[in-house]
Amino acid sequence: MADADEDLIRTPENVSTQPEVDLSDETQDFRFLNHLNFFADSSPSIPRRGEKDFEPNPTELQADVLSASRGAMHNALSYPRLHATKTRIIAFYAPDGYVPPAQPDRATPKAGGEDGKSLESSPTPVRPLPNSARISPDACVYVPSPKGQFFKTMGQADSSSRVWLLPEEALYLIERGSLDIRWPSSSGSTAGSGEEDLSVPMSVQAAYACFMGRGGLTLERYSVYTSLRRLGYALVRAPGWYDDMEQPDSDVTDASERISPKFHGPGLAGLLGLVFNWIHDPHSTASTATGPIIGTGIHRHYMDVYRKLAIIPWYDPVTAPERHPSDTTPPFRVVFHIYKPSTPFKKSALPTPDFRIAVVSTRDQTTMPTMTQLGALLESTPLDPPRGEKMDRMMYMRLRHGYRNVVMAVVDQGVISYLRIADSAFGKEKLYENKGGPQGPKRNRANQKPRKR
């Protein structure tokens, strides 16, 4: 009763002057997290959410509840995440990257006495094995005993059956709690199976400090990588990953070695053929400069007239030359090859990617790309003409797919927007050749039956 009277005394007279607070913006009551028993033998279960009890009140009750809620949330977040013994995957951090295992040479016997019984072997230096597995020089984490579904599309195995991970792959696995990365041993040698318990585990903060910025990995590229990985896609680095890549030397032939072809005249028969073709060929436009636009030839169909009216030149993506990725301007360069979950994926023989992605950061690129930059980006991708049953029937699907296409991932302060850019050929889509509607001569009206009223 006394508490109610005290609340009534502290209540302001003009309640209507208090600002209205949206209930959806209020802080949740996290005191229910205190009932969790993290250290019990059974798996912990999260109870029901608490009710919002932070209405405007001049007493100190609201401050006490808010402080208790924050303390409960802090205790819940401070609980260490542990790996189960059966599903734990331990990896080791290699700051120097991949080093091929050493191959010891055979010992050379050396005679010690006349009886030939005492033999000594002279030590010989070891030789490193060649990088036959073609492991990326940016790989900095290796897994001695890989297991699980993640390694089907991630990492590269060496001759010792160790899987080497790239910085973005290792950071993604340790962030989601699927990998336990350990710091390298003080001796600098390769960690064995007995040194797992003695090594120090790496935290997520330390993983960000070690992997972010290594081998061309940026925060924007990692954001795109993790967002697509969570959706089930498989990602592989593209040849244009590095911004400072150099164009390979091309064989340039001298002008003196080039032999110009010799052209011969058409002859009398050829001249007569050109004349007849000029008269009867509806595709000829030789008379448009001195006569009508459609020419003076014989036209047997409206399509021939429409072809004559198409006098404006149009761009054909098939004739565009294919460029090297080094001809593009960063960040407008393909950095990831994307594969759908339904695409059969094999790391030793990668299939044709389903999508090609270029990552653009709004912090570095604040303007729209120019036509030259977009043209170089599209021409750096292989030709992919629209083919398929649906594309053969639907014109808009062919225009949407284009002959070359790139997905541009624009990262704006962590928010990713995907834009699809295609190199379409509008000039190849002849609307007058569309066979969708009924064509042919009209029916004779004399043979038509009168309609009944």
Side-chain angles (χ1 to χ4, degrees):
M1 191 66 181
D3 295 337
D5 296 339
E6 183 180 357
D7 295 343
L8 184 61
I9 294 173
R10 295 189 179 185
T11 303
E13 297 179 359
N14 190 6
V15 184
S16 61
T17 58
Q18 295 183 1
E20 296 182 0
V21 180
D22 189 4
L23 297 179
S24 60
D25 296 337
E26 294 183 0
T27 309
Q28 292 287 341
D29 187 3
F30 297 108
R31 289 179 296 173
F32 67 92
L33 296 176
N34 289 326
H35 301 286
L36 292 178
N37 187 9
F38 294 103
F39 301 97
D41 297 335
S42 60
S43 59
S45 60
I46 300 178
R48 296 178 58 184
R49 297 176 59 183
E51 299 178 357
K52 293 183 179 180
D53 195 14
F54 301 123
E55 297 181 358
N57 197 331
T59 63
E60 297 180 357
L61 178 63
Q62 178 181 357
D64 296 339
V65 173
L66 184 60
S67 178
S69 176
R70 290 175 178 174
M73 175 57 68
H74 182 270
N75 294 334
L77 294 177
S78 61
Y79 170 71
R81 295 186 299 176
L82 303 178
H83 295 269
T85 307
K86 296 182 179 180
T87 60
R88 183 176 61 175
I89 304 176
I90 297 179
F92 294 92
Y93 173 54
D96 300 333
Y98 171 72
V99 178
Q103 180 184 13
D105 292 344
R106 294 181 179 179
T108 304
K110 182 178 180 181
E114 296 179 357
D115 53 356
K117 295 182 180 180
S118 60
L119 298 177
E120 296 180 0
S121 59
S122 59
T124 56
V126 295
R127 296 176 301 174
L129 292 174
N131 189 1
S132 58
R134 297 181 180 180
I135 297 177
S136 173
D138 297 333
C140 56
V141 175
Y142 66 92
V143 184
S145 301
K147 54 184 177 180
Q149 60 180 357
F150 293 103
F151 298 99
K152 295 181 180 179
T153 57
M154 300 173 64
Q156 193 69 30
D158 59 359
S159 57
S160 302
S161 299
R162 300 177 303 178
V163 175
W164 287 82
L165 300 176
L166 294 171
E168 60 269 17
E169 297 173 345
L171 187 57
Y172 169 73
L173 291 179
I174 192 177
E175 189 179 25
R176 72 183 311 274
S178 302
L179 190 65
D180 185 7
I181 302 180
R182 304 298 179 89
W183 289 98
S185 58
S186 58
S187 59
S189 59
T190 304
S193 59
E195 299 182 6
E196 296 178 356
D197 299 334
L198 302 178
S199 56
V200 180
M202 178 184 291
S203 62
V204 178
Q205 294 84 351
Y208 267 91
C210 294
F211 301 148
M212 194 61 63
R214 182 187 179 100
L217 180 63
T218 60
L219 185 60
E220 289 76 17
R221 292 181 177 181
Y222 179 70
S223 301
V224 175
Y225 180 86
T226 53
S227 63
L228 294 177
R229 265 290 179 183
R230 294 189 186 101
L231 295 177
Y233 292 93
L235 285 81
V236 178
R237 286 187 178 184
W241 174 268
Y242 302 99
D243 294 340
D244 54 349
M245 63 183 306
E246 298 179 358
Q247 185 175 3
D249 298 335
S250 57
D251 299 334
V252 181
T253 57
D254 298 336
S256 59
E257 298 179 358
R258 299 178 182 177
I259 302 175
S260 58
K262 297 181 180 180
F263 299 96
H264 299 278
L268 181 59
L271 292 176
L272 294 177
L274 291 176
V275 172
F276 282 104
N277 291 335
W278 175 77
I279 296 175
H280 296 282
D281 187 11
H283 299 276
S284 177
T285 57
S287 60
T288 56
T290 58
I293 296 179
I294 61 175
T296 57
I298 300 175
H299 305 90
R300 302 182 182 276
H301 201 275
Y302 279 108
M303 292 186 182
D304 301 336
V305 179
Y306 291 141
R307 292 191 187 98
K308 288 291 188 68
L309 293 177
I311 59 177
I312 301 176
W314 48 274
Y315 169 71
D316 189 2
V318 179
T319 60
E322 186 174 347
R323 297 190 182 183
H324 192 265
S326 60
D327 296 336
T328 58
T329 305
F332 304 105
R333 181 177 293 176
V334 178
V335 295
F336 283 121
H337 287 170
I338 314 298
Y339 300 91
K340 295 180 181 179
S342 58
T343 302
F345 187 86
K346 189 177 181 181
K347 292 189 292 185
S348 58
L350 295 176
T352 304
D354 298 320
F355 306 100
R356 296 174 176 86
I357 288 188
V359 181
V360 180
S361 174
T362 57
R363 295 185 299 177
D364 303 330
Q365 184 70 27
T366 58
T367 58
M368 291 291 293
T370 61
M371 292 299 297
T372 305
Q373 293 174 341
L374 291 180
L377 174 62
L378 291 172
E379 291 175 2
S380 63
T381 60
L383 191 65
D384 185 18
R387 297 174 182 174
E389 182 182 356
K390 291 185 178 180
M391 293 187 183
D392 294 340
R393 293 186 290 104
M394 304 179 66
M395 178 186 63
Y396 293 102
M397 289 191 65
R398 295 194 297 269
L399 293 176
R400 181 179 178 272
H401 183 273
Y403 286 78
R404 290 183 175 90
N405 53 82
V406 176
V407 178
M408 188 178 299
V410 182
V411 184
D412 184 8
Q413 302 296 331
V415 180
I416 306 175
S417 302
Y418 296 98
L419 305 176
R420 193 173 186 274
I421 303 174
D423 196 1
S424 304
F426 287 88
K428 286 190 173 184
E429 303 299 334
K430 310 296 184 181
L431 296 180
Y432 52 84
E433 295 180 358
N434 188 12
K435 300 180 181 179
Q439 294 183 357
K442 296 182 179 180
R443 298 176 59 183
N444 190 4
R445 295 184 178 181
N447 299 331
Q448 292 182 357
K449 297 181 180 180
R451 297 180 180 179
K452 296 182 180 180
R453 295 183 179 179

